[in-house]
Every structure is written in structure tokens, then in C-alpha cells.
DNA sequence: CTGTTAGCGCCTTCAG
DNA sequence: CTGAAGGCGCTAACAG
């Protein structure tokens, strides 16, 4: 009776369903549901409860995700849209988010921002149909497709949180004090006696890049240095662009005695450029970079950086997103702990004598 | 009538459902479904079809994922379990998988292997309940929890594919010829005249490490070098371990004139170790690493590597997984295109005179 | 204390 | 050519 149809090749789709447990325990499905979900409002005779639990155990029952999600109109799934997964920084964000989400019982869908937003027609719909309870938007770039996606997203009323990205009208967001981090790096150099401090900045469109540039300028002003004396070269995350930017800065006369770089990867390129041109680091020019990683210790020379609380950032973003999903309307969050810290290594030193 | 209950704070859960479209078009839900899904078996009066399409457009209808998935008992979702997301190699796998999955209309769930397998009690159940159509298992490590998870997985009959990981009984898997890549690296060094070629190998438990070690030995044998003369130091993916391993190798007498390293990150540490000990690369010792990345160009010295088809690997893995889901039983796949290629940079050179 | 019932949103026979 | 109805697996309201 349970499953007729002699031996048709059609296997039961779900090995064991709630109803199977109920039948086995000789009760109705609803108590089974309540017992298994530990519904506190329901009181069940200990004996029945035991029978149910045992039946479930024997049958190896596991609630079917889709059935439950459909019923609850909640998918317990979050999506992270993130660019440049190969970059350490973004990898850290992904890892933090995955962990935080898992800790709260949520699964995490990942989509490459470039693909996702570029092929907005193909990928985006995938996620916009109740598949996901909320979005984490990482990455600082603004593009047409990104904006279009945001419009869709807002219209769809799916909660979202921007991570490390402050864009007018995109709220809430969770970010760090990038400006402060950069300012601290500048201060470190100022304390070493540097006055001509240049900056390899990121693309204008990246708001993290803008905030770091601002921190750089603030650092100069705080030291009483005219920002007009500042030298800024643009780069992307690519090592090769950092390399090219550094070459431009090294041609300036008078030459800067220190360079702060907006990203680790660009700094790797910058170090190489100095080397190739016979410029000693830190003998002739000091170099410092934004964001820390294990690798920094092993570069030549080892690289002074400012370490930012990336992991906490991403944990916090998940938390805020879950709050939004729960109905809260938190404002923007700027993480202030742990504070950025300068990790001094060999790439920065006193101003050269000359 | 459509939605009574005056103005209760309960908003309609789904903005617009199939039924809404049907009502608007003045038809039944079933034709709407067929039209929207372009069911070829159904013939619909062009006029009705038009009315339906227009209604859907006007209302901004989008099929609800959970409803559809429940009905189809398919979630069009894949999960990737992957370790060390911060590592370039794994980032590449993730990216390839995300892209390939998206291209096929699948979403990709990501879970950190360490967390996932460690907290098998917490995270794993999340994915084992119809939430996911198949698993991609990346990473070469074998651990108790990993094995336990595999057992669960097999029992649950959810399709899976191992990526870049060959473990007895875990099939199908999609992998590359790591041994060949390593052998090519050794051959490159042999052609430069090296005879004392050492190896910084990965952990015994990592099967990629084992295969690379095997390739290293094969390379020596092919050159008529006694593998007994080989020197192998163990390391992990950490730069610091690569550093330590290199120091051990540099103490050997006679000292090796070349070192091939099982991973990029370990090689970064190895380069630093040589530098610190005043050993010139490639003047005194040549260094070459497995796997390529943009960064390699900018290290000091720039690093000779072998480039492996990681992107293709991961694309292929998705394809194979989808085949399995579709009912095929493909065997193990070893990717042979594009073939590994040695990228010669400055870290390898002729044998030192002495 | 426990069972019945009514859907969540969709697709798909089966009738008309 | 189109509509009505049933059910994917689960939970929650309402009866007993």
C-alpha cells in the first residue's frame, strides 16, 4: 500500500518523508513535525515522543529542505556577490562570510561580481526568485550594470547589505575605516621623517580607493604637509599596473622618498619596479601597502602594511544582513574594532640622507 | 477578493505568482505555465499566448524558485566544498566553477572545507537535504571527518565529483596530470644542466602533493639521475613552512643546485630563505614552483613555474557533475588539454660553475 | 495530547 | 486549444 506500482523503475524521490516517520510511529504527521522541531508550545506524551524520535532515527529521516523552505518562504540561504576572488582581501571576506553564515545555519551562494553583473540577464535572475533570503554585496566598484542590478534588487524587496562599499543610496552598508588605516600608514612614514610621500591610488570608481586617497591626504595635512605637494598615480589591483604607476612616480623630481600603495598586489608590482630601476627600498624610497597577508613577510624587502579587520568586517556584514532579514533597519555600520594596525617591516625606513 | 484581510501588516509573500498572471490574462494557470516554459508539446492560440506574455511582463512576473524546485525535486544548485580559499589555486577553482555553474543555470554554494568537515555536525546537514543537486569536492586532503562525510554523501545518493583529488573509492574525479607538470619542471632544470635537484613537497596526506612528488621522481629517473640522490623536504601551503623547508635543503652537502617547490606560496617562502642566507637565485640555486600566477612575474627573482589548466579543470568538473546528475556514470577524467607549460623566468638558470 | 486540513508556488496529467 | 485538480514535503491553524 505504501508504495505500489510493482517494480517500476521510478525510485521514490525522497528516501524518507515526514509521512513515513508518522506511519512508522503510528501517529499523524503534525506531531512528528512538532516533535522533530522541538516546538515548545506543544506538549507531547513522552512515550509518543520517544516512538517518533526512534522511528525517525531508524528510518534515517532528514527533513527535506525544499518542502520546508517553500512552506516557510525562507530559504536560509544568503548570496555573496564579490569581485576578484583571487585577491586575498576578497578571499578573506568570502571566508568570513561563509563561516558566519554557516554558524547561523545559513548556506552561502557565491557569485563572481564581474560575471554576475555583466551577464545580469543570465545570472541575476537565478538569484532573484526566492532562492535567497538576502544579499551581501562586496566590492567597491560602481558600474552601470551594478546600478541596474541594485535597482532590481531594491524593487524586489530582498534585503541586502553592502560590504566594504559606501555608495550613496546603497544602505545599509558595513565598512571599515579605510581612511584611518591609510592615514596611519602615512603617519608612520612621517614619523620616519618623510615629507615627500606619494600615493599609488586605486581607480576613481572604487570607493575604497577614494577613501584611502582621502586618508592619504588627511595624513599629509595632519603632518602639516601641503597636499599640493602630493603625487598620486592611479593603478588597479593588478601587479602590472602597480608596477607602471611606480615607474611614473619614480620619475618625479624631486623624487618622493616614500610611497603608500592602495593595495597589496599593486605594491608587489611597485616593489619590482623600484628594484628594476636600481632604486633601493627602503634606502632610496620607502614603500608601504594597504592590507596585510602572510606573504608580506617574505617579499624583498618584507613589506610594511596596515592590517585591517577584514574577517570581522565580513562577520559583521552577515550579522547585519540577518538583522535586516529579521525586520530591523540598522543604519550603516563602520567597524572600529579591532582598530587598524601598522605592521612595520623592512620596506619602510628613515628618509635617505641626500 | 483576491487578497482580503483589509490592511493587515502581512504583505503578500510573493509579489506576483503564476495565478496572478493567469487572472490578469483571463486564463487558467496551466496554460500560463506552458507558455512561459515554452512547452513544445502544447499548442496555444497566438492571441492567448500574447496576452499571457504581456500580462507576465506587465506584472513583472518571475517564477518562484522554491515552488518550482519542490515540484521538480531539483534545486539547480551545486555545492563546492573547498579548502584554503585564500590560496590562488583554490580561488581559481572557485571562479571557474562559479562561472561554469552559472552558465548552465546553476547556483553555487560554497563551503570552507575545514569548517564544513570539522563541524560536520553543524554544517554538513545543511546541504544534505535536497538543497543541492550535487557536490564538487575540491582539495586533496584526507581526514577522518572528510571520510565520514563521504560515507554520508554516498549513502544519501547525492551525486558528487572530486576535483583535483584522487582518492581510492572516491569517484568520479576530475584531475590534472600534476605528475607530468612536475616532471616538466624537472626536465627544464635538467636541460639547464642540473643534477642535484631537490624538492619541497607537500603533506603526505595531500594526494596532489603525492602526485607531484611522483612526477619529481619520474623526472629524475628520466634524466638518468638516481632518485636516491634526491632530497625531499616537507612543507604545507604556508610561506613560512616553505621557508623552513628551504633552509633544511640548503644545509645539505653537497648542496642541491636546484629546488622544485610543490606550491607557489611555499616557493615564496623558499625564495626568502635563500635570500636571507646569502644564496643567490639562480646564481647558486635555481628555484621553480608548481602553478602560475600574475604575482610570479614580480617576485625577486621572478619565478619560473609550470602553469596548469586550473580553470579548465574546474569547468570540466562542473560538466562531469552535471552529467552524473543527468544519470551518466562517467569514469574518472584526467584533463590533458591545455597541457601544462613551463613558464621560464629568472629564478632558474644554468648550474653554477663550482 | 493528537489528527485533519489547508495551503506555500509550481507543473502536469487528465478531461473537456 | 484550455481548465480543473492533484501533489512535491512540510508546517500551522483548528478541531477533537
Amino acid at each position: 500500500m505504501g508504495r505500489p506500482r510493482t517494480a517500476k523503475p521510478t525510485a521514490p524521490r525522497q528516501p524518507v518523508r515526514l509521512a513515513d516517520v508518522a506511519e512508522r510511529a503510528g501517529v499523524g504527521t503534525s506531531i512528528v513535525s512538532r516533535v522533530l522541531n522541538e516546538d515548545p508550545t506543544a506538549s507531547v506524551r513522552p512515550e509518543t515522543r520517544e516512538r517518533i524520535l526512534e522511528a525517525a532515527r531508524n528510518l534515517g529521516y532528514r527533513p527535506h529542505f525544499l518542502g520546508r523552505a517553500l512552506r516557510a518562504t525562507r530559504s536560509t540561504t544568503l548570496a555573496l556577490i564579490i569581485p576578484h576572488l583571487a585577491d586575498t582581501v576578497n578571499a578573506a571576506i568570502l571566508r568570513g562570510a561563509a563561516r558566519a553564515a554557516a554558524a547561523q545555519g545559513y548556506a552561502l551562494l557565491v557569485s563572481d561580481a564581474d560575471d554576475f553583473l555583466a551577464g545580469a540577464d543570465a545570472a541575476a535572475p537565478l538569484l532573484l526568485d526566492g532562492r535567497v533570503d538576502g544579499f551581501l554585496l562586496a566590492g567597491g566598484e560602481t558600474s552601470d550594470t551594478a546600478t541596474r542590478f541594485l535597482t532590481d534588487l531594491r524593487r524586489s524587496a530582498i534585503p541586502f547589505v553592502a560590504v566594504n562599499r559606501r555608495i550613496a543610496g546603497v544602505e545599509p552598508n558595513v565598512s571599515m575605516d579605510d581612511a584611518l588605516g591609510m592615514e596611519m600608514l602615512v603617519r608612520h612614514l612621517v614619523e620616519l621623517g618623510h615629507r615627500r610621500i606619494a600615493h599609488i591610488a586605486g581607480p576613481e570608481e572604487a570607493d575604497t580607493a577614494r577613501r584611502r586617497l582621502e586618508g592619504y591626504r588627511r595624513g599629509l595635512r595632519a603632518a602639516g604637509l601641503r597636499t599640493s605637494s602630493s603625487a598620486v598615480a592611479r593603478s588597479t589591483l593588478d601587479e602590472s599596473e602597480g608596477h607602471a604607476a611606480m615607474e611614473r612616480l619614480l620619475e618625479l623630481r624631486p623624487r618622493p622618498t616614500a610611497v603608500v600603495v592602495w593595495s597589496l598586489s599593486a605594491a608587489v608590482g611597485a616593489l619590482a619596479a623600484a628594484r628594476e630601476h636600481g632604486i633601493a627600498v627602503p634606502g632610496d624610497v620607502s614603500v608601504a601597502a594597504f592590507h596585510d597577508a602572510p606573504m608580506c613577510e617574505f617579499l624583498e624587502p618584507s613589506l610594511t602594511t596596515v592590517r585591517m579587520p577584514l574577517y570581522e568586517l565580513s562577520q559583521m556584514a552577515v550579522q547585519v544582513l540577518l538583522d535586516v532579514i529579521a525586520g530591523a533597519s540598522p543604519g550603516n555600520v563602520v567597524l572600529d574594532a579591532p582598530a587598524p594596525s601598522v605592521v612595520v617591516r623592512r620596506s619602510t625606513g628613515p628618509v635617505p640622507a641626500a
Side-chain angles (χ1 to χ4, degrees), chain A residues 90-268:
Chain A
N90 290 321
I93 289 182
L94 169 53
R95 214 176 161 193
R99 191 172 291 186
Q104 308 265 7
Y106 278 73
L108 187 71
L109 235 46
V110 173
S111 190
D112 185 86
D114 307 323
D115 295 357
F116 185 78
L117 298 175
D121 320 307
L126 243 172
L127 303 183
L128 281 176
D129 309 310
R131 183 193 277 268
V132 148
D133 291 340
F135 279 89
L136 251 19
L137 305 175
E141 276 124 64
T142 340
S143 71
D144 283 359
T145 39
T147 335
R148 184 150 13 106
F149 172 67
L150 272 171
T151 320
D152 281 2
L153 192 51
R154 247 187 299 251
R155 186 175 311 144
S156 78
I158 301 179
F160 66 93
V161 167
V163 186
N164 202 19
R165 168 192 225 184
R166 301 184 195 161
I167 300 179
V170 180
E171 304 194 333
N173 64 57
V174 177
S175 62
M176 309 179 286
D177 200 339
D178 282 38
L180 173 61
M182 191 53 96
E183 192 179 349
M184 288 170 66
L185 223 40
V186 171
R187 189 187 313 147
H188 163 66
L189 291 165
V190 166
E191 282 166 359
L192 286 170
H194 294 273
R195 313 261 109 193
R196 291 197 304 280
I197 303 173
H199 181 37
I200 295 182
E204 196 109 42
E205 318 84 73
D207 94 297
T208 47
R210 288 196 298 267
R211 275 146 49 206
R212 288 169 208 175
L213 175 57
E214 183 203 321
Y216 160 73
R217 294 210 169 114
R218 228 160 61 191
L220 293 187
R221 276 198 301 273
L225 299 173
R226 295 208 319 266
T227 61
S228 66
S229 72
S230 70
V232 175
R234 292 283 175 179
S235 165
T236 62
L237 282 181
D238 291 352
E239 287 88 350
S240 60
E241 293 238 10
H243 183 277
M246 185 66 165
E247 287 189 319
R248 294 197 296 278
L249 291 179
L250 290 179
E251 279 170 4
L252 295 178
R253 294 295 175 271
R255 198 165 62 200
T257 64
V259 178
V260 288
V261 187
W262 87 293
S263 84
L264 198 48
S265 45
V268 169

Side-chain angles (χ1 to χ4, degrees), chain A residues 159-161 171-173 319-333:
Chain A
F160 66 93
V161 167
E171 304 194 333
N173 64 57
Q319 192 49 61
V320 170
L321 180 54
L322 292 179
D323 290 348
V324 176
I325 290 172
S329 321
N332 293 333
V333 177

Side-chain angles (χ1 to χ4, degrees), chain A residues 45 67 169 174 234 269 288 346-347 349-350:
Chain A
R45 194 186 304 162
V174 177
R234 292 283 175 179
R346 293 190 300 98
S347 69

